Amino acid sequence: MISDPLKDYPGYALRRASNASLALLTPRLMEHDLRVSEATVILAIFTNPKIKQSELCKLLDIASANIAPLIGRLDKRQLITRIKVDGRSQGLELSEMGKSLATQILTIIEDHERALLEKMPEPLRAPFMEAIKYLWKPDGALKGGQDETP
Amino acid sequence: MISDPLKDYPGYALRRASNASLALLTPRLMEHDLRVSEATVILAIFTNPKIKQSELCKLLDIASANIAPLIGRLDKRQLITRIKVDGRSQGLELSEMGKSLATQILTIIEDHERALLEKMPEPLRAPFMEAIKYLWKPDGALKGGQDETP
DNA sequence: TATTGTTATACTCTATAACTATA
DNA sequence: TATAGTTATAGAGTATAACAATA
């Protein structure tokens, strides 16, 4: 009988489960001509109007080199507007079209995430969500909170 | 204050945690000139000698088009041997060098996975591992078990 | 006809380096 | 000097289509 030697390891299970989740979500967002990363950025701007690209990078753990073309695509589609903050940085906001798209994205993602959670027995859901947060740093260890000794 | 609108969703948390895990594991395997996918395949062959490529694909959820060049690289490095089963398929086995590398990989991965799990409080570890298995299909729904009605 | 393995190709995400301009 | 943003480029994972050889 063939068996998977890594199936009981958390990091491996994370990778497999994440891939399975993305395989379900990607085609649903593609109907709106959006990648998962683009949808994530749109929602982050929706929740944090006037956020700067550098702040988005920290929040979502994306390299600044990679967010530049992504923001460029959203700008070209007139989903966002850039508002000069100072000479070198710009606050990002959603256009009306962007806000409308954001609410549609939110519907898709909420439905997707609800379906994911419903795959596991109810008593495991809360412990799962609590546990997984120890494996990354929500809100990107951003300003405001007490950081781990700098 | 900047906040992440998706941080309480399981699929998003999976993606972030998986990326964080890979960012730690990748450089450690790179010291042995191995990608994560290559190390995974080596261990799968180690555990399942004579496994065929098509079985590896099902087990690890990799498209056959993508495993061909990967196997080719392992073959060129003389880490595996291909043993003809019939005219169109071949059983894969590790060479002595491959087996030696497999044990080193296992040490790295076990250390990595142990460190991951230790990031969360002990009482959450078992529920986490139990819960996450509902989000993918370990052993790729392979032969031997009772499948979901074909 | 179906299966196994392969090649070619393309898209996405990620990573690094080098650069401009501003503070 | 340090920060914000950009460009170019490369590496890696994943996806589809097309194909040859075999069962």
Side-chain angles (χ1 to χ4, degrees):
Chain A
M1 188 43 195
I2 291 170
S3 69
D4 189 335
L6 299 177
K7 69 170 189 298
D8 292 321
Y9 288 122
Y12 179 74
L14 279 174
R15 181 157 61 95
R16 295 294 300 265
S18 174
N19 287 349
S21 164
L22 287 173
L24 294 173
L25 181 58
T26 300
R28 298 190 61 179
L29 291 173
M30 210 160 51
E31 293 172 21
H32 293 270
D33 239 312
L34 286 171
R35 308 172 186 177
V36 173
S37 60
E38 292 169 341
T40 306
V41 165
I42 288 174
L43 290 184
I45 300 174
F46 188 58
T47 303
N48 304 281
K50 297 193 184 15
I51 192 173
K52 294 188 293 173
Q53 282 187 209
S54 55
E55 292 170 330
L56 268 178
C57 288
K58 278 179 227 152
L59 183 68
L60 305 178
D61 196 21
I62 300 177
S64 63
N66 297 326
I67 213 166
L70 194 162
I71 294 295
R73 290 193 298 273
L74 301 184
D75 195 11
K76 188 184 291 182
R77 287 172 66 176
Q78 303 185 1
L79 297 172
I80 62 171
T81 57
R82 312 191 201 208
I83 293 150
K84 277 256 175 295
V85 171
D86 57 32
R88 66 183 177 183
S89 57
Q90 351 168 344
L92 303 175
E93 285 191 349
L94 294 185
S95 65
E96 285 310 309
M97 213 167 70
K99 286 179 196 169
S100 160
L101 185 55
T103 62
Q104 296 178 61
I105 294 171
L106 208 49
T107 301
I108 291 175
I109 291 188
E110 279 175 347
D111 183 68
H112 165 75
E113 299 285 4
R114 184 192 42 71
L116 267 193
L117 215 51
E118 283 177 357
K119 288 187 176 192
M120 60 179 75
E122 201 281 329
L124 285 175
R125 294 175 197 169
F128 174 79
M129 286 309 302
E130 189 187 345
I132 198 172
K133 291 213 181 153
Y134 286 95
L135 302 181
W136 60 293
K137 50 308 154 217
D139 288 338
L142 276 176
K143 64 188 176 191
Q146 30 290 51
D147 277 356
E148 53 265 43
T149 62
Chain B
M1 187 43 194
I2 291 171
S3 69
D4 189 336
L6 299 177
K7 69 170 189 298
D8 293 321
Y9 288 122
Y12 179 74
L14 280 174
R15 181 156 63 97
R16 295 294 302 265
S18 173
N19 287 348
S21 164
L22 286 172
L24 294 173
L25 181 59
T26 299
R28 298 190 60 178
L29 291 173
M30 212 160 51
E31 293 172 20
H32 293 270
D33 239 310
L34 286 171
R35 308 174 188 179
V36 173
S37 61
E38 291 169 343
T40 306
V41 165
I42 288 175
L43 290 183
I45 300 173
F46 188 59
T47 304
N48 305 281
K50 298 193 183 22
I51 192 173
K52 293 188 292 173
Q53 282 188 209
S54 55
E55 292 170 330
L56 267 179
C57 288
K58 278 179 229 154
L59 183 68
L60 304 178
D61 196 23
I62 300 178
S64 63
N66 298 325
I67 212 165
L70 194 162
I71 295 295
R73 289 193 298 274
L74 300 184
D75 195 11
K76 188 184 292 182
R77 286 172 67 176
Q78 301 185 1
L79 297 172
I80 63 172
T81 58
R82 313 192 200 207
I83 294 151
K84 276 257 174 295
V85 170
D86 56 34
R88 65 183 176 182
S89 57
Q90 359 173 336
L92 303 176
E93 284 190 350
L94 295 184
S95 66
E96 285 311 309
M97 214 167 70
K99 287 179 196 169
S100 161
L101 185 55
T103 62
Q104 295 178 64
I105 294 171
L106 207 50
T107 302
I108 292 175
I109 291 188
E110 280 175 345
D111 183 68
H112 165 74
E113 299 285 4
R114 183 192 45 69
L116 267 193
L117 215 51
E118 284 176 357
K119 287 187 175 191
M120 62 180 73
E122 201 281 330
L124 285 175
R125 295 175 197 169
F128 174 80
M129 285 309 302
E130 190 188 344
I132 198 171
K133 291 213 181 153
Y134 286 95
L135 302 181
W136 60 293
K137 52 300 156 222
D139 288 338
L142 275 176
K143 64 190 177 190
Q146 26 296 51
D147 278 358
E148 52 266 39
T149 63

